Amino acid sequence: MAFESSCDDTCVALLERISPSIPIRVVAEARETLDSAQAGGVIPVDAVHFHQRHVARLAARVCALGGSGPAVPPDLICATRGPGMVGSLSSTLQFAKGLALAWNRPLVGVHHMLGHLLAGTLVESAENGQQTTVYTRPQYPFLSLLCSGGHTMLVLLTALDKHQILVDTIDIAAGDALDKSARCLGLRGNMIGPELEALVEGISETRKRVFRAVRTDGTNAQFPLKMSKPMTSAKHRRMPDTVAFSFASFSSCVDAFTRNRAVVGDLRDFTAFKIQEMIFDHILDRVNVALAKNAGTGVLDHVRDFVCSGGVAANKVLRHKLRSNLSRLFTFHFPLRALCTDNAAMIGNAGMEIFEKLRLQSSLEVLPMRKWPMESLMDVDGWEPVSDREYRRVTGF
Ligand code: AMP
Ligand code: ZN
């Protein structure tokens, strides 16, 4: 059983693995999302109250759906430990500790981003006439591009607990830039990325062709948007010493452009189209620079799989750009769109991996962590070894 509440979603899931050679199956899931549309952002204390209000009911629902509960308790309890808002995290982490103690089951405190990084392999499968969701594994070493509301990074995973961040953002995340820009265009709601995607999808191909040809140097009379590609000026060399993403300039350009101007109709379509295109082109460009920089160093030898995860990875335009540019080099794994954003199934998947492959569990004393660098996955307090006996008791194999 897995819990996720690092931000504004309360998520609970029940997963099943009946043998090490059979992929993990998601048996049941439940979620509630705090409505922050009115507030314009997540208010931490509201999020804490929200998680505390909903977690028990969602856990009961998932147990009922998956045929679990006190008489047939889940074998392992996983909960996001960090990084994230401490109050939000502790709401379900504490609840998970209670269940672990009551049901005499081990607890695994999971790194939220590890959940995302491993989530790209969640696929639909038809079983007994029923549509279910299973995890299949990419082969280490593999690349994982995490594009979410809080993070944008390209990570090389050489093993479950060995990660190297190849490209990170120097300012805000891609999802944050998309959300801020979309808000400037008047889009509202809890999850703005999909709304922006739908707006762009609704533009005719003919118009898109016209928009594509327009330069955003501010000189076009009909579309005077001024927005340049970050890190392409002379001072940022093509092969910089450190490769990085940067998204803050996109949203500040859109903010400046929309502040004293009515951006409606065709101009709004144009701006929406260019935001997506330019943000995604920047991601692709930096990934390519990182690949070129590491070529011949041996770092990327044997990398065949490329996982793309996080909320922004649900976007079809981004998926198409990555696939059409890089599929000669990698096999791509995209999570089901519904499971790109925060969810408990990815936490259960990562928690089971930690328990099975690393033979580790978390002490019941672990506290939520606001910050938890990816490279320090195991360098934190609270990891305890799992004995062979305990392993067999829990897994049954
Ligand atoms: P996460 O932080 O992983 O939960 O993802 C949330 C972020 O993903 C937010 O910034 C959303 O706007 C963004 N997002 C979700 N779906 C899409 C989509 N289809 N296209 C672009 N961005 C999206
Ligand atoms: Zn996330």
Side-chain angles (χ1 to χ4, degrees):
M1 184 172 222
F3 297 87
E4 152 63 35
S5 65
S6 55
C7 189
D8 55 351
D9 296 295
T10 321
C11 313
V12 187
L14 202 57
L15 295 88
E16 180 182 66
R17 156 123 73 202
I18 47 176
S19 122
S21 58
I22 294 179
I24 293 172
R25 192 169 74 90
V26 181
V27 176
E29 281 194 283
R31 140 196 325 257
E32 290 283 350
T33 303
L34 173 69
D35 185 355
S36 334
Q38 209 77 45
V42 180
I43 297 174
V45 72
D46 289 352
V48 173
H49 290 162
F50 185 82
H51 297 312
Q52 290 181 351
R53 185 185 306 278
H54 293 290
V55 63
R57 184 175 50 77
L58 294 182
R61 189 196 302 165
V62 160
C63 281
L65 287 170
S68 190
V72 202
D75 299 310
L76 184 69
I77 312 291
C78 307
T80 309
R81 183 181 177 189
M85 300 198 286
V86 166
S88 288
L89 289 164
S90 58
S91 309
T92 58
L93 182 61
Q94 289 301 110
F95 186 84
K97 283 183 195 178
L99 289 183
L101 183 67
W103 289 340
N104 187 25
R105 296 297 193 247
L107 172 80
V108 180
V110 177
H111 194 293
H112 178 83
M113 265 114 78
L114 182 68
H116 276 304
L117 291 174
L118 299 178
T121 51
L122 198 58
V123 293
E124 289 281 13
S125 90
E127 240 175 59
N128 306 328
Q130 269 192 324
Q131 200 69 8
T132 55
T133 306
V134 299
Y135 280 103
T136 54
R137 305 260 157 249
Q139 297 299 311
Y140 293 103
F142 66 88
L143 284 169
S144 197
L145 176 68
L146 170 60
C147 287
S148 70
H151 304 274
T152 306
M153 50 173 75
L154 178 70
V155 184
L156 171 67
L157 288 92
T158 42
L160 179 60
D161 56 343
K162 289 200 178 57
H163 306 145
Q164 186 187 344
I165 298 174
L166 301 181
V167 191
D168 203 352
T169 175
I170 54 162
D171 40 56
I172 61 173
D176 197 4
L178 286 168
D179 292 351
K180 286 191 169 113
S181 307
R183 227 171 265 134
C184 293
L185 294 182
L187 298 184
R188 296 279 173 267
N190 233 11
M191 190 60 95
I192 306 186
E195 307 216 6
L196 182 68
E197 181 181 25
L199 196 162
V200 174
E201 238 172 29
I203 302 170
S204 71
E205 284 309 314
T206 323
R207 264 344 256 157
K208 282 185 192 162
R209 255 197 307 281
V210 172
F211 293 165
R212 209 166 269 128
V214 175
R215 303 236 308 253
T216 54
D217 55 6
T219 58
N220 186 295
Q222 196 184 354
F223 305 113
L225 172 67
K226 194 159 188 269
M227 188 157 74
S228 52
K229 291 182 187 169
M231 302 180 152
T232 48
S233 64
K235 79 174 177 102
H236 295 105
R237 283 168 293 119
R238 175 76 193 145
M239 282 293 175
D241 294 335
T242 36
V243 192
F245 295 118
S246 171
F247 299 100
S249 65
F250 292 114
S251 45
S252 43
C253 286
V254 177
D255 183 33
F257 183 64
T258 52
R259 195 159 286 174
N260 298 313
R261 189 185 270 113
V263 179
V264 291
D266 207 29
L267 184 56
R268 186 182 191 234
D269 286 355
F270 170 80
T271 313
F273 175 81
K274 283 295 192 193
I275 293 165
Q276 274 205 170
E277 285 291 301
M278 291 181 73
I279 288 182
F280 296 157
D281 283 346
H282 175 62
I283 293 175
L284 187 63
D285 176 65
R286 294 295 102 179
V287 170
N288 272 316
V289 173
L291 296 179
K293 233 184 125 72
N294 285 288
T297 63
V299 171
L300 297 177
D301 285 359
H302 314 297
V303 175
R304 299 282 171 270
D305 290 311
F306 195 117
V307 172
C308 189
S309 58
V312 182
N315 192 289
K316 289 186 221 125
V317 176
L318 176 63
R319 290 181 176 206
H320 176 73
K321 278 185 189 290
L322 288 168
R323 265 212 188 97
S324 55
N325 278 275
L326 298 171
S327 56
R328 70 189 190 288
L329 299 175
F330 307 110
T331 302
F332 275 88
H333 303 265
F334 293 102
L336 292 171
R337 272 165 65 92
L339 291 167
C340 282
T341 48
D342 293 348
N343 64 84
M346 71 180 193
I347 299 301
N349 174 52
M352 284 161 89
E353 281 284 281
I354 292 170
F355 189 84
E356 286 180 20
K357 304 272 162 53
L358 304 179
R359 302 271 178 122
L360 289 173
Q361 61 183 322
S362 298
S363 132
L364 289 183
E365 289 181 8
V366 292
L367 295 176
M369 290 171 52
R370 190 170 72 82
K371 290 197 168 161
W372 186 358
M374 241 355 295
E375 295 96 332
S376 317
L377 195 64
M378 296 299 144
D379 298 337
V380 294
D381 66 298
W383 289 118
E384 292 176 347
V386 177
S387 68
D388 289 350
R389 202 159 151 243
E390 176 73 344
Y391 182 81
R392 277 196 302 276
R393 176 182 81 95
V394 170
T395 61
F397 44 78

